[in-house]
Amino acid sequence: MRTRAVVLREVSTARPYGATRPVEVEELELGAPREGEVLVRTAAAGLCHSDLSVVNGDRVRPLPMALGHEAVGVVEETGPGVDRVAAGEHVALVFVPSCGWCARCAEGRPGLCSAAAAANGSGGLLHGPPLLRDAAGRTVHHQLGVSAFAQYAVVAQESLVPIPADIPFSIAALFGCAVLTGAGAVLNTAGLRTGQSAVVHGLGGVGLSAVLGARAAGAAPLIAVDPVPAKRELALRLGATHACAPEEAAEAVPEWTGGGAEVAVEAVGSPAVTAACLATVRRGGKVASVGLPGPGRMLDTVPAAAFAGEGKSLLGSYMGDAVPSRDIPRFLGLWRAGLLPVEELHTGTVQLTTEHVNRSLEALADGTAIRQVLDTSGLLAA
């Protein structure tokens, strides 16, 4: 079948993206679902910094690639052997299609699944090679087993979590990455407890989801750090008790927390910010790092004594250490209860055109957008 999709053919750092147009909406041929695979009509997809990291080369992926890894849609067709979802179900798409059998899956960390890492790194799917072809018949790779900036996607059934049909697509779309990663870093990786102090550095979609997760867990005080005043103001509306610019954090965080935060979340992708987080957590404090720095960047300004000498922990957090089949329903329940108002992160709806997508990538890159949602199939307006 044919599908319109956003395709990146060459890495680009030339900005503004609205003028340089690193991605194009193309008509692609999409193969039918194979054993264990599902055809989904995508309804809404969030534009995330991880997508931008592929465009600018910070995350090295095989090209050309059809982008998009955070989305929601409706099951159109199932391949042989599919037993997790059925036609007509609403589903959230997840960017790690965990196998369920490897050592990491067995220990409850499916985000680190070795089979998924191999499939995602190759640009294929968990159950086979890429199913996308361009007009010349050449292979187009899948982004993280999803490629949801498109009208239709074929994904492994392991990439899908059924969700209630009454949840608006524009809201549900954010739960497959932003909420899993941000709230998961606070609740799963750091294990924040009620009454503990927390600081979140970087207030994009993931960082603000961490603020929401920390608020839901009862963090006090809860500090938000970002260079953009409007993002700090939004964090305060979402439940942060304090907010400051990065250059103020070294003095403000210890002052507001009585000596240092117990939990810090780094959602920038900067070694310098990771070091700042370690400097402003108290003895025995935890830093959950969720940002994705560019290749080759090193963490080289942290005193080694921060660990054995002060008992601090630096914890890597991929996909928020989430178990999607458990955590997406759990976080949706918190949304229903009014504790995760992710609709506040929605800063615009984007149409599936080359012009609109490139302009939206620029808004993401310059820090003026938090979570823009791509209307992939016209279902948001339906």
Side-chain angles (χ1 to χ4, degrees), residues 10-289:
E10 293 183 3
V11 166
S12 176
T13 57
R15 294 175 54 195
Y17 292 130
T20 61
R21 295 164 62 108
V23 302
E24 295 281 342
V25 174
E26 300 184 19
E27 188 105 339
L28 301 179
E29 185 68 29
L30 176 62
R34 300 166 295 204
E35 181 89 21
E37 294 177 343
V38 178
L39 173 66
V40 176
R41 182 182 180 188
T42 59
L47 278 82
C48 172
H49 265 278
S50 292
D51 306 312
L52 190 62
S53 295
V54 178
V55 172
N56 67 21
D58 281 350
R59 300 295 288 173
V60 179
R61 298 293 182 190
L63 301 179
M65 175 167 279
L67 298 181
H69 70 283
E70 174 188 78
V72 65
V74 180
V75 174
E76 291 277 311
E77 179 186 343
T78 59
V82 171
D83 55 10
R84 299 189 181 193
V85 296
E89 279 194 280
H90 289 208
V91 288
L93 284 72
V94 179
F95 61 92
V96 180
S98 52
C99 71
W101 298 101
C102 70
R104 300 290 78 80
C105 286
E107 71 181 17
R109 303 187 75 187
L112 302 181
C113 172
S114 55
N120 284 354
S122 73
L125 298 176
L126 186 64
H127 300 295
L131 287 172
L132 292 166
R133 298 290 184 273
D134 64 16
R138 294 170 297 202
T139 295
V140 175
H141 298 89
H142 301 263
Q143 185 188 8
L144 300 177
V146 176
S147 291
F149 293 169
Q151 294 168 307
Y152 293 91
V154 170
V155 300
Q157 65 171 337
E158 292 85 353
S159 292
L160 301 175
V161 175
I163 61 172
D166 65 330
I167 297 177
F169 288 129
S170 60
I171 290 172
L174 306 188
F175 282 79
C177 176
V179 176
L180 274 188
T181 302
V186 171
L187 301 173
N188 297 327
T189 307
L192 181 87
R193 299 191 302 274
T194 301
Q196 287 189 312
S197 56
V199 55
V200 177
H201 287 252
L203 302 176
V206 170
L208 285 168
S209 292
V211 170
L212 289 174
R215 187 195 70 163
L222 172 55
I223 302 163
V225 181
D226 196 277
V228 179
K231 291 183 176 181
R232 299 197 298 268
E233 292 169 9
L234 176 56
L236 290 169
R237 294 201 304 272
L238 294 178
T241 57
H242 304 76
C244 66
E247 61 271 18
E248 301 169 324
E251 293 186 7
V253 172
E255 177 184 347
W256 289 334
T257 58
E262 289 164 293
V263 169
V265 175
E266 185 281 316
V268 179
S270 164
V273 175
T274 302
C277 287
L278 279 163
T280 56
V281 293
R282 66 183 58 192
R283 294 172 64 87
K286 300 176 182 179
V287 176
S289 179

Side-chain angles (χ1 to χ4, degrees), residues 333-349:
L334 290 174
W335 172 78
R336 286 192 189 277
L339 297 174
L340 285 180
V342 299
E343 58 271 20
E344 298 289 342
L345 311 185
H346 185 180
T347 51
T349 299

